[in-house]
């Protein structure tokens, strides 16, 4: 490195912005690149979000419908077929709890869990989760198991 080949680090030097409104001789005087008249040429102009130049905005053209129930409870569904898979793999013997389902990644620790009736359960299991569908409860009890709601 010598004095004659010194240069600033990459990205250290940035290009200056356009100097507008500094006289006609600069080529950017007069209207200062804003065109003639209208709200956009004035200082302090900011367009309202969703404004479409006076045309009826999209959010007002589209009809309102439905609502979101703020008290809704979302349940994580687990099918009987999944419980049977756990038994077949030897991961579950007699009892299925929320912790068992979390360990086997069928639910998260803060989830509300509901057992659904899809599939077949051959093993006799004691299942304790938040909710059961009627068909799931019947299938668990028919296999000689127990369905306990938390």
């Amino acid at each position: 490195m010598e004095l004659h080949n010194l240069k600033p680090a990459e990205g250290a030097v940035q290009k200056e912005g356009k100097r507008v409104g500094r006289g006609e001789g600069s080529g950017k005087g007069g209207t200062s690149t804003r065109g003639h008249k209208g709200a956009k040429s004035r200082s302090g102009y900011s367009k309202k979000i969703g404004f479409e130049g006076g045309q009826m905005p999209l959010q007002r053209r589209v009809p309102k419908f439905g609502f979101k129930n703020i008290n809704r409870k979302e349940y994580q569904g687990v099918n009987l077929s999944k419980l049977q898979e756990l038994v077949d793999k030897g991961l579950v013997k007699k009892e299925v709890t929320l912790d068992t389902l979390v360990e086997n990644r069928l639910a998260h620790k803060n989830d509300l869990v509901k057992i659904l009736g899809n599939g077949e359960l051959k093993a006799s299991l004691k299942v304790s989760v938040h909710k059961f569908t009627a068909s799931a409860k019947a299938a668990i009890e028919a296999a000689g198991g127990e369905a306990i709601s938390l």
Side-chain angles (χ1 to χ4, degrees):
M1 186 185 310
E2 305 290 326
L3 279 178
H4 70 276
N5 62 8
L6 284 178
K7 60 180 186 179
E10 193 69 39
V13 178
Q14 283 159 358
K15 202 171 164 200
E16 296 274 325
K18 261 189 230 181
R19 277 172 53 90
V20 296
R22 292 291 179 270
E24 285 302 310
S26 69
K28 305 265 188 300
T31 59
S32 302
T33 73
R34 287 170 177 251
H36 293 278
K37 298 184 185 173
K40 278 178 150 177
S41 71
R42 320 281 185 207
S43 67
Y45 167 76
S46 66
K47 188 176 71 168
K48 285 190 175 78
I49 292 172
F51 184 65
E52 297 182 18
Q55 171 177 303
M56 186 61 71
L58 183 67
Q59 77 271 17
R60 289 189 58 200
R61 275 179 297 194
V62 176
K64 291 198 270 187
F65 67 96
F67 80 110
K68 283 264 191 272
N69 183 359
I70 58 167
N71 299 316
R72 179 176 166 79
K73 285 194 171 124
E74 279 284 343
Y75 286 92
Q76 176 65 45
V78 178
N79 279 310
L80 289 175
S81 55
K82 287 284 182 191
L83 295 182
Q84 186 59 48
E85 274 180 38
L86 292 180
V87 172
D88 295 341
K89 289 178 184 170
L91 299 170
V92 170
K93 296 279 183 264
K94 297 253 184 280
E95 199 170 354
V96 176
T97 61
L98 194 57
D99 298 331
T100 315
L101 296 174
V102 171
E103 283 166 21
N104 293 295
R105 296 177 174 216
L106 291 175
H108 294 290
K109 66 178 182 180
N110 297 325
D111 282 349
L112 296 173
V113 176
K114 186 172 188 174
I115 302 295
L116 310 174
N118 189 4
E120 220 179 309
L121 186 66
K122 299 178 194 91
S124 168
L125 294 173
K126 180 181 176 185
V127 185
S128 49
V129 293
H130 300 98
K131 280 210 169 177
F132 298 88
T133 59
S135 60
K137 195 165 194 163
I140 291 168
E141 287 164 359
E146 197 180 347
I148 302 163
S149 294
L150 297 177

